[in-house]
């Protein structure tokens, strides 16, 4: 694995540090009046989610890890495990359902997601940025109501509650941004 200097760390880099895999979340380069410059790095553990703040001088060497990204197709859920299939090799893998966190309800049958692997261990899974959902419950459309920053609550077919514009009604398909978990547009 390539080693990089402490001042070359950027947000999003994955580092091997203290025997664990850490993702750099926030990096501040500090040049104090006295002493050498350093990078103040906020890191998140990819295995257990814990956070760590660490200082790296430019002379410090850190191992940068490259994660392999593979597209996996969702097949089904069984005993708290999500079963995915590699779209190229047709191999099936099981991942814990909590790997997706609060975005789990947006996972739909047959959906292709990106899974990041280190060796053969799956560390992170990301859904497509936009997913189409159907509204099952919301207030009725009121004629003459303007769309000027007034949103109303709606419940989607996957049970998630989002805020939608007043002109959207029941049984309409909408596109939801899975990163912000907010209404994006009509489908």
């Amino acid at each position: 694995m390539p080693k990089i200097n402490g001042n070359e760390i950027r947000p999003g880099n994955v580092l091997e540090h203290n025997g664990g895999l850490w993702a750099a979340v926030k990096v501040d380069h500090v040049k104090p009046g006295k002493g050498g410059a350093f990078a103040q790095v906020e890191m998140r553990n990819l295995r257990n989610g814990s956070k760590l703040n660490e200082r790296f001088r430019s002379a410090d060497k850190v191992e940068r890890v490259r994660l392999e990204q593979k597209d996996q197709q969702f097949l089904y859920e069984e005993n708290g495990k999500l079963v995915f299939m590699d779209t190229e090799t047709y191999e099936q893998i099981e991942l814990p359902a909590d790997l997706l966190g609060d975005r789990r309800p947006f996972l739909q049958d047959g959906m292709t997601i990106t899974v990041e692997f280190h060796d053969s261990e799956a560390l992170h899974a990301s859904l497509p940025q936009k997913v189409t959902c159907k509204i099952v419950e919301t207030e009725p459309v009121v004629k003459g109501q303007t769309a000027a920053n007034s949103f109303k609550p709606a419940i989607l077919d996957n049970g998630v509650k989002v805020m939608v514009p007043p002109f959207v009604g029941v049984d309409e398909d909408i596109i939801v941004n899975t990163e912000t978990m907010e209404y994006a547009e009509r489908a």
Side-chain angles (χ1 to χ4, degrees):
M1 283 181 266
K3 286 195 180 249
I4 59 172
N5 293 334
N7 61 349
E8 295 174 359
I9 299 171
R10 301 284 175 260
N13 286 4
V14 178
L15 312 170
E16 190 166 327
H17 180 67
N18 291 346
L21 288 176
W22 301 82
V25 178
K26 197 167 139 190
V27 180
D28 290 322
H29 293 281
V30 182
K31 293 180 182 140
K34 211 172 187 181
F38 60 88
Q40 183 73 35
V41 182
E42 183 181 316
M43 301 185 292
R44 185 179 50 84
N45 190 310
L46 290 175
R47 290 192 175 105
N48 61 22
S50 62
K51 288 197 171 183
L52 174 72
N53 271 314
E54 195 76 52
R55 284 184 177 182
F56 293 100
R57 294 172 300 149
S58 60
D60 294 339
K61 295 279 188 201
V62 204
E63 294 226 9
R64 183 171 173 204
V65 179
R66 295 225 185 264
L67 297 180
E68 183 183 357
Q69 293 187 335
K70 285 186 182 176
D71 284 344
Q72 303 279 333
Q73 185 178 14
F74 176 61
L75 298 177
Y76 58 91
E77 182 174 359
E78 185 177 65
N79 301 331
K81 299 270 189 198
L82 304 174
V83 180
F84 293 93
M85 178 182 68
D86 190 316
T87 52
E88 293 170 11
T89 63
Y90 302 109
E91 284 181 36
Q92 291 186 6
I93 60 165
E94 288 185 354
L95 300 176
D98 59 354
L99 189 68
L100 291 173
D102 54 357
R103 285 155 184 70
R104 164 65 186 98
F106 291 106
L107 184 64
Q108 299 165 351
D109 287 342
M111 180 181 277
T112 300
I113 69 166
T114 304
V115 180
E116 292 181 331
F117 290 92
H118 177 254
D119 294 331
S120 62
E121 178 187 9
L123 294 174
H124 183 259
S126 55
L127 292 168
Q129 187 176 0
K130 293 187 175 179
V131 174
T132 304
C133 298
K134 185 182 284 294
I135 295 179
V136 291
E137 187 181 317
T138 188
E139 297 167 12
V141 178
V142 179
K143 272 206 183 291
Q145 191 173 9
T146 62
N149 273 352
S150 62
F151 279 73
K152 62 183 181 181
I155 298 175
L156 303 175
D157 55 0
N158 57 13
V160 177
K161 208 177 214 180
V162 293
M163 298 300 282
V164 296
F167 57 81
V168 178
V170 176
D171 286 336
E172 281 193 55
D173 288 337
I174 62 167
I175 295 177
V176 179
N177 184 329
T178 57
E179 290 172 9
T180 60
M181 294 181 70
E182 294 174 347
Y183 168 87
E185 60 189 322
R186 270 182 168 163

